[in-house]
Every structure is written in C-alpha cells, then in structure tokens.
Amino acid sequence: MARMTMIEAIRDALDVAMGADPTVVVFGEDVGYFGGVFRCTAGLQAKYGKTRCFDTPINESGIVGAGIGMAAYGLKPVVEIQFADYVYPAYDQIVSEAARLRYRSAGQFTCPMVVRMPTGGGIFGGQTHSQSPEALFTHVTGLKTVVPSNPRDAKGLLLSAIEDPDPVIFLEPKRLYNGPFDGHHDRPVTAWKTHELGEVPEGHYTVPLGRAVVRRQGQAATILTYGTMVHVALAAAAESGVDAEVIDLRTLLPLDMETVAASVSKTGRCLVLHEATLTSGYGAELAALVQAECFWHLEAPIRRVAGWDTPYPHTHEWSYFPGPARVAEALRQLVEVA
Amino acid sequence: MPDPDALPPLSLTVPEPEVRPGGQPDFSHVAIPRAGTVRRPPVDADPEEIRDLAFTIIRVMNREGEAVGPWAEALDFTPEDLLEGLRHMMTLRIYDARMLNAQRQQKTSFYMQHLGEEAISCGFQRALAPGDMNFPTYRQAGLLIAAGYPLSAMMNQVFSNAEDPMRGRQLPVCYSSREHGFFTISGNLATQYIQAVGWAMASAISGDRKISAAWIGDGSTAESDFHAALVFASTYKAPVVLNVVNNQWAISTFQGIARGGSGTFAARGLGFGIPSLRVDGNDYLAVMAVAKWAAERARRNLGPTMIEYVTYRAGGHSTSDDPSAYRPAEESTAWPLGDPVLRLKNHLIRLGVWSDERHAQAEAEILAEITAAQKRAEAIGTLHHGQHPSPVDMFEDVYAEMPPHLLKQRHEAGF
C-alpha cells in the first residue's frame, strides 16, 4: 500500500475523481498552475488541462457562486477556499444557495459540489488562518460536513463527497496535512517530514459519509471527537491511564449516532472534544444528542473540552489548542464522578 | 500640503431623488436620444471602441410607432413574431392585475407585479434558444410566459395549492422551471448573478453551445456578488448576458443610492472590459435587438455583454409596498419612455397588422383565458382554502436521500 501525507492523499483523490469523471472540475485561489498554497492540487492542471483545474480571482463568494452555477449545469465542482477563515464572504452562497437549490426548485436543480478548505490551528497561523467553523455548517440544513483525521480517510471521504449528489463541506485539518500528529505540540513543524506517512490504498475506494469509527477501544469513558483532536484524544487516553474509547466521527452531518450511542451506552461516561470555540459549538449538539439517547446509561455529566471562547491567538496557540494534558485531566475528572 | 486645520470640515454626500411626494415629477435628468440615432456596432466590436453605448439609450420605436435606425434594420422578425410578443406582454399585464387582486382578496400571501417592465423579460426571451438558462429575479416572469410555461402552473404556485410545482416551499413569485430555462429564484439578492456566470463557464468547459443570462435590479448592483460576477465573466470570457434592469426604485430607495452620482449602471461593465449597452427598456423592439446582439456575441464565444434596461417600475415593489409614501403619485405616468405595451401596439397598427379593435378583442380573449385558468387553480386551492401540498413534502428534497436525523424528525411530525 502507498504511504502518503494527507495532502498527497487529497491530491490522489482529486486525481482519481478527475480521471474517472470528466465533469469533475477543480478551482480556487492559486489552485491551478501553482497547485494550491498547500499543494493539494499540484500537477492537476498539467494533467487535466486548464479548463478543468484553474486559478480564480480572489473572491470566495464568486468561487462558490460560480461553482453552484456549474453544479446546476451538471458539472461536479470541487472548489477550494484557501483557508476556512476566508469562507465567510461565501457564506451566503453556501447557506442560502448551495444548501437549498434542491429544496427550493423541488428537485429540478441540484448542487453536487464540494467546498474544500483547510481548517484548525496548530501551525502558528494566527487568528485568520486557524479557525474551525464546522458548527456554522452543521447548523445549515441541506449541507453535509466532513472532517477527516488521517490520509486514508481523507482520500476515501473526499471521493465519497465528490460522488455525493448534495453539497459537501470538506474541512481539512491543516495540522494533519504533512504527517500524522501525535497530539503533542512540542514537535516543530519542520519535523513533520520525518513523521511516518499514512497508508493509503491506490486507485478508487470510498469511505462512506455518515459513518464514524472507533479508533481506540475502552470501557471507562467515551471521547467523541474528529479531525486533529482524534490524535489529541488518543494521546490523552494513553497518558491519563483512563480506559477511554475514542470515536472519530469523520462526518459531523449526517452523524453516525448509532456508533456514538453504542459507545456511550457501554462506557456510561462521555467527553466531547473539539478544537473550535466552546460556546454553541458542535460539542453542544453532541452533548444534547447523547443526553437524549443515552441518559439512562450516563453515570456522570457529559463534559466538553474545546478551544477557549477567544479569537484564535498567535503566540499562545498551544494554550488555546486543547492538548493531551487538558483532555487527560478532564478524563480523570470524568471517571472520578461517583 | 495645505494645513488640514485650515480646510473646512468634511461633509457626507447622501444622494437624493429629484422629487419627493407632493412635488412635480421631473425626468429632465434622463437624457433620451431620438429613436434610431444610436449606432449598431458589429458583434465582434472592440469593447474599447463602443464605450459610448454605455452612456446613451438605444431606441428603435419613435413617437410615430415606426421602427427606425440601424438596430431596427438588423431585426429579422416577422409581424407574426411581434404579434406574439405583444400577446406575451398583454398576458403578463393581465396576469399581474389578476394576481394582484387575488392577493388583495387574501388568496395568496404576496405578489410582485411587472407593470411598465413587460418588454424587458418578454423581449429578451426571444433571443434565447431551448437549453439556455436565465438566472432571474422576482420581476422577470415574462421570461416564463414567452418561453411557454403554463400560466396554470404559475397560478398554482401563487395560490400555494396542491398543484404548486414548488410544493409549497417557495414564495408565490419565486418560480422555477429547468425545462423553460428559468433558474429557481432566491430571495437573497444578487446571488444568482455569479451563478449565471458559473453556469455559462460550465457550458464552455463542456464544449456546449448553451448560454446563460444573469438578471439583477439597479439596487442589487451594490451587492458584492454583482462585482464577483463581473470579475469572473470578464476573466474567463464566459458566454453570459449580464442584464441590469434599472427601474429607478429599489423598494423606496432611488437608483442613485446604488449608483452614486457617477456614470450609468451599464458603465460598471466598462472597467471590466465588458461591452456594455444601455437600452430603452420600454421599447420591445430595442430590447429584442440588443438581446439578440448580446446573445450572438455569447454564442460566438466573444464573451459577456452587459445590458442596462432603462425603465420605470410603475407599480409598487410588492403587495407590501406603498410607493406613494416615497415618490410622487404621477411619476409613473410622467415616465418619458412610455408604456411598453402601447408602444408595440402602436407599432403594429402602423405596420397595418393590428388595430384598436383587435387589441381590445385580444385583451378580452386573454382575460377570459386567464380567468378560466384562475378558476381552475382556485378550484384546487388558495392560500387559506382548498387543497395544499402535503406537509410531508416539507421534508423531501433537503437531500437526495433523507438522512436518519431528518427521517426521525419526519416521523416525529407524524409523517
């Protein structure tokens, strides 16, 4: 099996999709000739031509709006927003337009589009290159929201997203782009190259949307998480000595409630972990769902660990970013509740 | 540099219309060239050489009802085509009147009429071919009428009855028909403008022959997506016609607020190197002539064209609007470009293919046809009476396949 970084896996997914389906088009700022600032689209223009992979003006609303028009025509656009922090000018197009075309045209027009964007912090990107806006999308009906945690899933989920008949928000944790992350911040960015690459099957395969996976088996507590925080959760479970089960949600909407409920019902304790700010975050939705579905199995109040309710800081990013120590402490407290 | 403290303090400019309620309507600021006097360049003209067309008004029909000048000469429509065009406009006007009345009778929640703007959408549609796509606003129902979309389907939507093609999800006037080249209307302004460009780009990427048409009102040209559309259309030379309907009023706000005191709406295209024309929006022949010119450019892969239709919204913005609160009541009749229906009627009389009698007869026929369709629609249901779409429809079409959480909610709702 090939070994790849997440960037390579995403590029591979785009390559597989473009090779198999001439209606797949890829565009965004710096995406064409240069191959994207993170190089996720490198080589695609040379291989598929500049009308299938091209650079756009710096206009996020234009990128998504044009993508919607293309999707309505019958193409499958995969557009890149350079950083999730830049998606806000396109928010109206995503929320009011992409998410609702099928509904408001009674099925006559659809929007099979993927909006890819790097998300999250951990690379000293400051408050405009580090945000995790997933809750803004999971709140929007008509969208699907995906966050992979490793190269294999990134490729399989992206292929599923491209093949999906509805608009999909594909959030790529940039902390994981260049190699697996062991959950600790003390590895400098430059050392990523020395990390072990992920195993990624060659050719076409999919990881279905709406299916979570158990990353670590455990009996004492369940950690519900996704993206970069999967790795933090695994590190925290090992460090804390708590026999925690770690669920990687992979798709936030639709959510695999079956896997979630089975785990929490088994362990009786639940910790919700995400990097995005706490208040009204996706963790609130998870906590509410778990409370409703697993109330009689719960032995302690559901705990949430998340980014602080501040803009994402630059210098103090590792104080903001939930690390293994914070999560381990929360886990210990969670299991201590009688 | 002068001492800043020595200069008078700054003051803000807030544009105001010439006249407010109680005043005398005044359109002396609208410079109107005589019909037939504006040149018609070849469709592959260099945009730099036709910049003047963004500042004038292309007109074909003169006061005597004659079609004159180079744009008239390039028209290749038969009198039968024009009679059909007149019928489209008359149909839209009578339909509007009936639906407006139906709203007053509480048979629908809301309606938006086209009074005074019928020539634009009805005329433009004649330049399109099957498969082309309009990305309209709420004031282009004439595109549907001229494309042969059934009036009964429109009415069923206005009445939100069981046969509403949008299954009770859309506002009454937010129609949608892929088959008739009418993209589903959004209430969020200007979003469709860039989508139209994307659709046109997709056609070009696919090596297709279809073109698209973007529609926007004067007020919404202030939205960022208008500018996004111009950037993309100009950058990729998309086969799109970028239409701006300048009907002078964005609800109560006059067009000068979106435009400021400079240039014209058409002139906004010039900075992007997009050939931009200004046309008399109340002149059916001029609209058709310019639309054909722009559509041909798009089809020949010569790129986008911007068209500003100079017109006047004679009615309110919607049934929730009272225009007498912000403009003189007589302003619509003072509009110097006249009534589009009357002007085409007079032209056809001048051609000898129409008469006042036949016009009156056609009016009666159309009214009877619309009244009959309305009766059929009302027999199915209106907003508060009769049969409506099933509430179960509310849950459909959110996704291609209903995800578990939504299915659960549908069951909870009892469906």
Side-chain angles (χ1 to χ4, degrees):
Chain A
M1 204 173 310
R3 302 193 74 89
M4 297 182 189
T5 63
M6 190 184 278
I7 288 170
E8 289 163 344
I10 287 164
R11 186 188 308 143
D12 193 30
L14 293 171
D15 190 6
V16 167
M18 292 177 90
D21 182 352
T23 67
V24 176
V25 290
V26 171
F27 57 94
E29 294 155 20
D30 298 302
V31 160
Y33 180 80
F34 179 58
V37 292
F38 287 101
R39 317 311 312 277
C40 287
T41 57
L44 296 176
Q45 184 174 80
K47 188 166 177 182
Y48 296 103
K50 65 178 187 178
T51 62
R52 290 192 59 202
C53 178
F54 54 90
D55 294 321
T56 62
I58 301 175
N59 191 314
E60 286 77 14
S61 189
I63 292 167
V64 174
I68 292 168
M70 289 186 197
Y73 174 91
L75 297 186
K76 287 181 183 156
V78 185
V79 306
E80 179 176 301
I81 300 296
Q82 202 154 69
F83 285 90
D85 312 65
Y86 302 165
V87 77
Y88 308 115
Y91 197 57
D92 187 29
Q93 286 286 354
I94 293 172
V95 175
S96 314
E97 304 292 320
R100 294 194 213 147
L101 278 194
R102 181 186 294 281
Y103 194 74
R104 76 164 198 242
S105 67
Q108 293 181 87
F109 296 96
T110 60
C111 191
M113 175 172 63
V114 181
V115 184
R116 291 181 40 240
M117 56 192 110
T119 184
I123 62 159
F124 291 100
Q127 47 95 28
T128 53
H129 303 80
S130 307
Q131 294 169 64
S132 299
E134 59 270 21
L136 298 178
F137 299 111
T138 54
H139 191 58
V140 179
T141 198
L143 299 177
K144 295 178 181 176
T145 300
V146 178
V147 191
S149 69
N150 61 72
R152 186 188 186 283
D153 278 1
K155 179 178 169 184
L157 288 166
L158 183 52
L159 282 166
S160 286
I162 294 168
E163 290 161 19
D164 197 274
D166 291 309
V168 179
I169 303 297
F170 199 83
L171 295 160
E172 300 166 3
K174 67 179 86 65
R175 186 68 180 89
L176 307 178
Y177 261 162
N178 284 301
F181 171 52
D182 62 7
H184 291 269
H185 67 269
D186 48 4
R187 295 214 184 202
V189 171
T190 48
W192 282 354
K193 288 192 178 68
T194 64
H195 282 208
E196 195 186 353
L197 303 180
E199 284 195 342
V200 176
E202 278 162 39
H204 181 273
Y205 69 92
T206 56
V207 172
L209 304 187
R211 299 279 285 280
V213 66
V214 180
R215 293 280 174 220
R216 181 187 201 271
Q217 298 279 348
Q219 299 295 326
T222 298
I223 305 180
L224 300 178
T225 191
Y226 49 92
T228 310
M229 288 298 124
V230 169
H231 305 275
V232 173
L234 292 169
E239 266 180 46
S240 63
V242 174
D243 183 19
E245 185 146 300
V246 175
I247 309 281
D248 178 356
L249 298 173
R250 302 199 288 199
T251 307
L252 306 190
L253 198 124
L255 175 70
D256 181 358
M257 198 53 208
E258 212 172 307
T259 300
V260 169
S263 176
V264 178
S265 300
K266 180 182 76 176
T267 63
R269 293 167 201 266
C270 179
L271 186 151
V272 174
L273 170 63
H274 59 63
E275 189 182 329
T277 49
L278 180 76
T279 301
S280 297
Y282 185 68
E285 177 65 27
L286 285 172
L289 287 170
V290 166
Q291 188 275 146
E293 295 253 332
C294 313
F295 182 76
W296 301 107
H297 297 277
L298 287 175
E299 292 171 36
I302 300 160
R303 285 189 72 97
R304 286 188 289 163
V305 177
W308 309 120
D309 283 345
T310 69
Y312 203 102
H314 182 247
T315 311
H316 301 295
E317 102 167 324
W318 292 105
S319 301
Y320 176 94
F321 199 92
R326 249 170 82 193
V327 178
E329 178 55 25
L331 262 183
R332 282 190 286 266
Q333 289 174 9
L334 180 67
V335 294
E336 275 164 18
V337 177
Chain B
M1 196 177 112
D3 174 11
D5 291 337
L7 295 169
L10 297 167
S11 64
L12 186 70
T13 300
V14 180
E16 270 293 322
E18 304 288 323
V19 192
R20 284 297 192 187
Q24 280 300 310
D26 178 13
F27 286 110
S28 58
H29 61 285
V30 184
I32 301 171
R34 276 191 306 117
T37 57
V38 177
R39 71 202 171 101
R40 182 183 185 279
V43 292
D44 59 353
D46 180 350
E48 283 301 311
E49 286 165 14
I50 57 169
R51 291 172 69 92
D52 54 309
L53 297 187
F55 298 94
T56 181
I57 300 179
I58 296 164
R59 302 177 65 236
V60 165
M61 282 187 276
N62 66 17
R63 286 185 185 280
E64 285 70 48
E66 295 164 323
V68 293
W71 291 90
E73 286 154 24
L75 279 170
D76 56 357
F77 285 90
T78 63
E80 286 69 34
D81 289 328
L82 297 183
L83 286 169
E84 201 185 347
L86 180 66
R87 196 170 184 93
H88 293 153
M89 286 201 285
M90 291 169 74
T91 303
L92 179 54
R93 184 165 291 186
I94 293 168
Y95 173 82
D96 264 349
R98 297 290 304 185
M99 294 301 104
L100 194 68
N101 206 31
Q103 193 276 338
R104 300 302 187 215
Q105 295 167 331
Q106 299 188 332
K107 291 172 180 169
T108 181
S109 57
F110 181 76
Y111 191 73
M112 300 181 94
Q113 58 173 344
H114 305 70
L115 191 64
E117 300 179 42
E118 294 89 346
I120 298 164
S121 53
C122 292
F124 184 88
Q125 182 64 32
R126 306 298 288 274
L128 296 184
D132 293 341
M133 189 63 66
N134 284 293
F135 287 73
T137 80
Y138 41 69
R139 225 181 293 282
Q140 277 91 43
L143 296 169
L144 279 174
I145 288 175
Y149 186 67
L151 284 172
S152 57
M154 289 168 70
M155 283 180 191
N156 289 334
Q157 183 169 341
V158 169
F159 293 136
S160 300
N161 66 26
E163 299 296 319
D164 172 1
M166 295 305 111
R167 303 167 85 173
R169 297 170 189 156
Q170 275 275 42
L171 276 173
V173 296
C174 292
Y175 312 108
S176 169
S177 173
R178 189 182 183 111
E179 191 191 338
H180 296 84
F182 196 91
F183 189 72
T184 181
I185 293 179
S186 176
N188 293 48
L189 300 179
T191 47
Q192 76 285 353
Y193 221 62
I194 174 68
Q195 292 164 8
V197 177
W199 196 97
M201 288 169 68
S203 180
I205 288 169
S206 307
D208 204 345
R209 290 189 167 81
K210 296 170 195 159
I211 64 169
S212 73
W215 293 89
I216 201 167
D218 48 281
S220 310
T221 59
E223 289 278 7
S224 303
D225 279 349
F226 170 75
H227 302 270
L230 264 59
V231 171
F232 276 66
S234 138
T235 298
Y236 302 110
K237 297 205 185 310
V240 59
V241 182
L242 301 161
N243 298 297
V244 178
V245 180
N246 175 5
N247 68 10
Q248 313 300 320
W249 292 95
I251 308 188
S252 72
T253 304
F254 92 116
Q255 48 85 22
I257 288 288
R259 185 175 57 79
S262 59
T264 62
F265 289 104
R268 308 253 139 144
L270 296 181
F272 296 87
I274 298 174
S276 303
L277 302 83
R278 224 160 158 249
V279 60
D280 177 349
N282 291 25
D283 180 339
Y284 185 87
L285 295 180
V287 169
M288 270 205 316
V290 171
K292 263 173 59 77
W293 190 89
E296 190 183 334
R297 271 182 49 77
R299 271 185 231 290
R300 284 211 207 162
N301 214 33
L302 294 164
T305 305
M306 171 155 276
I307 305 175
E308 176 186 346
Y309 303 87
V310 182
T311 187
Y312 187 87
R313 192 196 75 209
H317 167 72
S318 73
T319 45
S320 310
D321 176 39
D322 172 17
S324 70
Y326 53 81
R327 67 188 192 191
E330 319 76 38
E331 198 176 85
S332 65
T333 44
W335 176 245
L337 294 174
D339 177 328
V341 176
L342 279 181
R343 285 177 70 188
L344 186 59
K345 174 194 166 192
N346 291 340
H347 172 66
L348 289 165
I349 291 174
R350 180 102 195 175
L351 283 185
V353 298
W354 200 238
S355 65
D356 282 321
E357 295 72 33
R358 288 174 74 179
H359 193 83
Q361 193 187 346
E363 256 175 352
E365 277 169 21
I366 296 166
L367 178 61
E369 194 184 314
I370 289 175
T371 310
Q374 189 178 351
K375 275 192 180 140
R376 285 194 298 275
E378 289 186 7
I380 301 166
T382 58
L383 184 63
H384 299 295
H385 300 282
Q387 293 176 289
H388 298 107
S390 163
V392 75
D393 277 343
M394 186 166 73
F395 292 91
E396 302 288 339
D397 292 325
V398 181
Y399 296 93
E401 205 175 315
M402 199 175 292
H405 71 281
L406 197 52
L407 190 63
K408 199 176 157 202
Q409 290 175 22
R410 197 186 85 183
H411 291 156
E412 209 176 300
F415 309 112

